[in-house]
């Protein structure tokens, strides 16, 4: 690990869809965002909701599970089966809690590479991910260029901005201010800082939307009443919506994990590892990149994607860049945005032709 | 697969604008090319499939970029005026600006960047010195609307028109060398006879120039 210690043994939870072909040339690794997990295209075992990228992944969809072998793993530091702060520390027999060494994006990618080794795959056809997943994509392309045929970093940045860190700090402080956090040792006490975590989620959720989309969806509409109650109840629909988002989040996510994954993003600065030059991270790369941003994303704005594109240009890498016009903010990459879906489909199909991955049988060719 | 490839190439040559074929002809095979304002990628695809060129593009419109990316071309959404500055020196053999110069805000800077980024610059543009245009202004007193300049003055993306003679003046001013120059007729076919520039400036509907840096 970047923290200078070996994390062993560790466990990694993953999910696969589709079939690995004989040439092992059709594997796609999907990297999840901050609070995502490996349940990309199946019903989530805890929430009972559809997978987070069912709009994009499945038979006949752009990430076509009839054609590609799709792998989605849970990141180190997470809480859905991969070693994280809620896992047992073999040295103490108790939960790691905040004794777990800090995890970096590079550590997450190292663990994924070990998983890919384990699956016997030399070169991934594609590594795709949005937000924190996009950081992993960039790290993959920099650390293992020869193992990544195509890379799609979506709605992401090569380093966290001061504003990004600021929002994450608000979330962490909210968790740590909850008396039930108990210095991080809440699992030993059998409690959980759900209130703090819910507030962290509420604040973060605002950053995932755009002002325009919020206004369109909620405006100043009242929830289940005709007039304000003159109290601090959730009078407005937006209040009700955020409370719901916060409360449902605590059912599926561990508070300490939230601290670890937000910290991993904050520490991410790919250029720093290459003498301050982002282009140096991609020097000589043969990977085909497709960078995507959304014009209403103010958390990871188009300028952050452009910085990546400029570096790839300077490294003479093969790069496509699309800014998608939508009012749905950062979360647009998870939603049904037809232009984004069409771009992904076209880019992957052309790349599959270049790599000689046949169309699934019965679909012509 | 090979058959499909050949068929695509033939279809491309039949449907591609003749002026694009003239531009493509100036590009040596197996080189690195950046097409600025690449539209739906017709020229890039022609170069990639028929000449084995490592083709890249910049395009302003999202629909154009989406078309290109779906075809497997490496295209960046962006604008010639802003984005050429980000490319390193000598990154390409050719930088092409096809029917886009007149839509840039700073044609001079764009040309200078092209010659910095590429060893050669190929520029095609509508000739505002054509006699029909002169006649429309002289007789009707209105901004011309022709086949290659089909939008009215208030909705055209073109903001910096020039004549062949103007362009030669700009090439001199930035200290570039004209390697080749061809005037095209209204169908986009090269004018096959040689004539002094003032004649071509009158009868050429478009022009294609290949430039290089002066040694």
């Amino acid at each position: 690990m970047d923290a200078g210690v070996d994390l062993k043994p560790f466990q990694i939870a993953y999910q696969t869809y589709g079939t690995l072909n004989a040439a092992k040339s059709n594997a796609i690794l999907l990297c999840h965002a901050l609070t995502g997990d490996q349940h990309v295209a199946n019903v989530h075992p805890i929430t009972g909701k559809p997978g987070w990228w069912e709009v994009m992944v499945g038979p006949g969809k752009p990430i076509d599970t009839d054609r590609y072998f799709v792998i989605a793993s849970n990141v180190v530091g997470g809480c859905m089966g991969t070693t994280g702060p809620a896992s047992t520390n073999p040295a103490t027999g108790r939960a790691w809690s905040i004794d777990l060494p800090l995890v970096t994006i590079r550590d997450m990618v190292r663990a994924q590479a070990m998983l890919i080794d384990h699956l016997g795959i030399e070169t991934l056809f594609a590594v795709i991910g949005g937000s924190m997943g996009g950081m992993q994509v960039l790290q993959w392309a920099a650390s293992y260029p020869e193992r990544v045929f195509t890379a799609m970093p979506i709605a992401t940045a090569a380093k966290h901005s001061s504003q990004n860190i600021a929002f994450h700090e608000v979330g962490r402080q909210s968790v740590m201010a909850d008396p039930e956090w108990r210095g991080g040792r809440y699992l030993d006490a059998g409690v959980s800082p759900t209130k703090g975590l819910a507030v962290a989620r509420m604040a973060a959720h605002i950053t995932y939307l755009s002002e325009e989309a919020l206004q369109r969806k909620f405006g100043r509409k009242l929830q289940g009443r005709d007039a304000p109650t003159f109290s601090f109840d959730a009078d407005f629909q937006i209040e009700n919506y955020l409370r719901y988002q916060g409360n449902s989040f605590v059912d599926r996510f561990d508070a300490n994990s939230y601290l670890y994954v937000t910290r991993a993003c904050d520490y991410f600065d790919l250029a720093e590892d290459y003498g301050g030059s982002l282009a140096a991270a991609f020097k000589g790369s043969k990977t085909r990149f497709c960078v995507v941003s959304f014009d209403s994303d103010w958390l990871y704005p188009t300028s952050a994607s452009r910085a990546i594109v400029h570096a790839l240009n300077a490294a003479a890498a093969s790069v496509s860049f699309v800014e998608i016009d939508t009012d749905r903010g950062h979360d647009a990459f998870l939603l049904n945005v037809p232009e984004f879906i069409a771009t992904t489909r076209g880019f992957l199909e052309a790349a599959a032709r270049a790599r000689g991955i046949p169309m699934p049988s019965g679909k012509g060719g | 697969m090979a058959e499909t490839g050949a068929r695509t190439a033939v279809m491309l040559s039949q449907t591609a604008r003749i002026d694009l074929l003239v531009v493509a002809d100036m590009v040596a095979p197996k080189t690195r090319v950046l097409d600025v304002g690449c539209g739906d990628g017709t020229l890039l695809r022609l170069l990639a499939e028929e000449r084995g060129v490592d083709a890249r593009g910049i395009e302003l419109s999202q629909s154009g970029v989406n078309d290109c990316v779906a075809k497997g071309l490496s295209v960046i959404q962006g604008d010639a005026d802003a984005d050429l500055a980000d490319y390193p020196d000598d990154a390409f053999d050719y930088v092409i600006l096809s029917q886009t110069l007149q839509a840039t805000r700073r044609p001079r800077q764009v040309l200078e960047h092209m010659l910095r980024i590429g060893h050669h610059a190929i520029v095609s543009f509508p000739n505002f010195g054509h006699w029909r245009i002169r006649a429309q202004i002289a007789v009707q007193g209105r901004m011309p609307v022709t086949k290659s300049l089909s939008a009215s003055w208030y909705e055209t993306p073109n903001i910096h028109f020039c004549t062949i003679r103007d362009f030669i003046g700009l090439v001199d001013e930035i200290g570039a060398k004209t390697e080749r120059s061809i005037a095209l007729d209204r169908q986009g076919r090269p004018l096959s006879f040689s004539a002094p520039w003032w004649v071509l400036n009158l009868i050429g509907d478009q022009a294609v120039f290949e430039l290089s840096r002066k040694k």
Side-chain angles (χ1 to χ4, degrees):
Chain A
M1 300 181 81
D2 283 334
V5 293
D6 283 338
L7 181 66
K8 64 182 177 185
F10 83 96
Q11 178 176 310
I12 188 160
Y14 67 100
Q15 186 72 255
T16 69
Y17 311 86
T19 314
L20 186 63
N21 64 15
K24 298 188 175 181
S25 64
N26 67 335
I28 295 182
L29 176 68
L30 298 181
C31 302
H32 70 70
L34 193 69
T35 62
D37 52 44
Q38 67 273 35
H39 300 291
V40 165
N42 55 267
V43 172
H44 195 282
I46 294 176
T47 65
K49 289 183 180 166
W52 57 267
W53 227 11
E54 290 218 338
V55 67
M56 195 67 96
V57 183
K61 293 181 179 169
I63 300 174
D64 188 347
T65 49
D66 285 340
R67 189 176 195 185
Y68 309 118
F69 178 59
V70 176
I71 307 156
S73 78
N74 181 225
V75 297
V76 178
C79 55
M80 284 300 293
T82 302
T83 299
S87 308
T88 305
N89 179 353
T92 63
R94 296 188 305 163
W96 276 101
S97 298
I98 53 169
D99 290 339
L100 185 76
L102 275 186
V103 176
T104 63
I105 298 291
R106 191 159 52 180
D107 291 329
M108 295 176 182
V109 167
R110 279 191 189 114
Q112 287 165 349
M114 290 160 90
L115 169 64
I116 300 307
D117 287 341
H118 170 75
L119 294 171
I121 295 163
E122 191 73 29
T123 304
L124 290 161
F125 165 59
V127 183
I128 305 173
S131 201
M132 182 180 87
M135 296 177 185
Q136 294 161 49
V137 173
L138 295 172
Q139 186 70 61
W140 259 99
S143 295
Y144 309 102
E146 70 292 346
R147 299 190 75 177
V148 183
F149 186 76
T150 61
M152 271 190 89
I154 302 157
T156 193
K159 64 175 173 211
H160 238 209
S161 70
S162 184
Q163 179 181 287
N164 293 145
I165 297 168
F167 281 124
H168 275 177
E169 176 61 2
V170 169
R172 284 188 295 264
Q173 286 302 324
S174 161
V175 168
M176 293 192 270
D178 188 321
E180 299 291 23
W181 185 60
R182 305 199 182 188
R185 289 264 155 225
Y186 54 87
L187 287 174
D188 294 341
V191 295
S192 179
T194 53
K195 288 200 171 66
L197 183 59
V199 172
R201 178 62 170 184
M202 288 169 76
H205 202 84
I206 300 168
T207 68
Y208 302 152
L209 308 170
S210 73
E211 185 181 0
E212 203 182 341
L214 272 179
Q215 197 59 36
R216 175 164 48 76
K217 199 167 169 188
F218 302 106
R220 294 182 51 83
K221 284 185 288 229
L222 299 179
Q223 177 77 35
R225 64 203 69 178
D226 299 324
T229 59
F230 291 95
S231 73
F232 293 109
D233 286 352
D235 281 1
F236 293 102
Q237 279 187 9
I238 179 62
E239 294 173 319
N240 200 60
Y241 171 76
L242 286 178
R243 288 184 188 190
Y244 168 78
Q245 289 292 338
N247 289 330
S248 57
F249 181 61
V250 300
D251 295 336
R252 69 174 178 89
F253 215 83
D254 172 58
N256 280 339
S257 255
Y258 195 79
L259 306 182
Y260 276 83
V261 291
T262 55
R263 205 67 183 139
C265 294
D266 292 349
Y267 279 150
F268 187 61
D269 181 355
L270 190 54
E272 198 182 47
D273 302 334
Y274 294 85
S277 158
L278 189 56
F282 305 118
K283 196 160 174 273
S285 175
K286 300 265 190 292
T287 302
R288 302 157 66 110
F289 290 85
C290 183
V291 180
V292 181
S293 73
F294 300 93
D295 64 350
S296 53
D297 182 351
W298 55 280
L299 193 59
Y300 296 93
T302 289
S303 57
S305 284
R306 279 199 188 281
I308 297 166
V309 172
H310 295 165
L312 288 165
N313 272 339
S318 167
V319 53
S320 297
F321 167 62
V322 188
E323 180 187 38
I324 305 283
D325 181 12
T326 173
D327 74 352
R328 304 178 81 171
H330 179 63
D331 260 359
F333 77 96
L334 297 169
L335 306 172
N336 187 359
V337 176
E339 294 212 66
F340 172 48
I341 289 172
T343 300
T344 306
R345 184 187 294 278
F347 173 72
L348 286 180
E349 275 184 10
R353 275 199 304 278
R355 187 150 164 87
I357 301 172
M359 291 287 281
S361 52
K363 294 199 178 172
Chain B
M1 274 312 282
E3 256 184 48
T4 315
R7 204 162 55 232
T8 317
V10 171
M11 274 165 44
L12 261 172
S13 331
Q14 281 167 353
T15 55
R17 291 177 355 227
I18 303 171
D19 62 307
L20 292 185
L21 296 175
V22 173
V23 170
D25 253 0
M26 290 185 170
V27 174
K30 309 252 178 221
T31 48
R32 290 172 54 81
V33 174
L34 178 67
D35 184 4
V36 182
C38 60
D40 65 1
T42 306
L43 177 63
L44 282 178
R45 206 166 159 196
L46 187 70
L47 289 168
E49 291 181 4
E50 293 199 349
R51 315 211 115 201
V53 158
D54 180 359
R56 312 285 173 82
I58 303 179
E59 168 58 30
L60 192 58
S61 78
Q62 187 177 321
S63 60
V65 177
N66 289 355
D67 274 358
C68 292
V69 172
K71 286 172 190 162
L73 299 163
S74 294
V75 172
I76 289 171
Q77 189 160 42
D79 137 24
D81 283 295
D83 292 353
L84 289 181
D86 302 319
Y87 285 82
D89 296 357
D90 300 311
F92 292 91
D93 296 302
Y94 298 88
V95 181
I96 297 173
L97 192 68
S98 167
Q99 300 291 323
T100 302
L101 182 70
Q102 72 279 2
T104 61
R105 287 189 300 278
R106 296 190 181 87
R108 180 187 166 138
Q109 278 82 346
V110 168
L111 265 188
E112 284 173 336
H113 275 308
M114 289 173 71
L115 284 161
R116 176 184 64 77
I117 298 165
H119 301 127
H120 303 261
I122 299 175
V123 185
S124 79
F125 59 90
N127 172 29
F128 218 67
H130 190 272
W131 67 268
R132 278 177 189 277
I133 291 176
R134 299 192 196 194
Q136 278 194 31
I137 296 178
V139 177
Q140 299 171 10
R142 307 185 65 168
M143 283 300 277
V145 177
T146 67
K147 196 172 157 197
S148 55
L149 300 170
S150 55
S152 295
W153 64 272
Y154 49 84
E155 55 193 3
T156 177
N158 303 317
I159 50 176
H160 283 128
F161 287 118
C162 68
T163 68
I164 290 177
R165 177 170 288 185
D166 290 329
F167 186 78
I168 292 171
L170 178 59
V171 170
D172 281 346
E173 212 175 302
I174 63 174
K177 184 179 158 205
T178 300
E179 299 280 354
R180 266 187 282 188
S181 57
I182 299 170
L184 309 179
D185 67 14
R186 293 182 75 203
Q187 278 70 47
R189 290 181 305 233
L191 294 171
S192 52
F193 56 91
S194 60
W197 269 115
W198 67 269
V199 176
L200 295 180
N201 199 18
L202 262 183
I203 63 173
D205 189 66
Q206 307 171 45
V208 185
F209 277 72
E210 181 186 346
L211 311 174
S212 64
R213 292 170 223 163
K214 250 186 194 143
K215 294 283 183 292

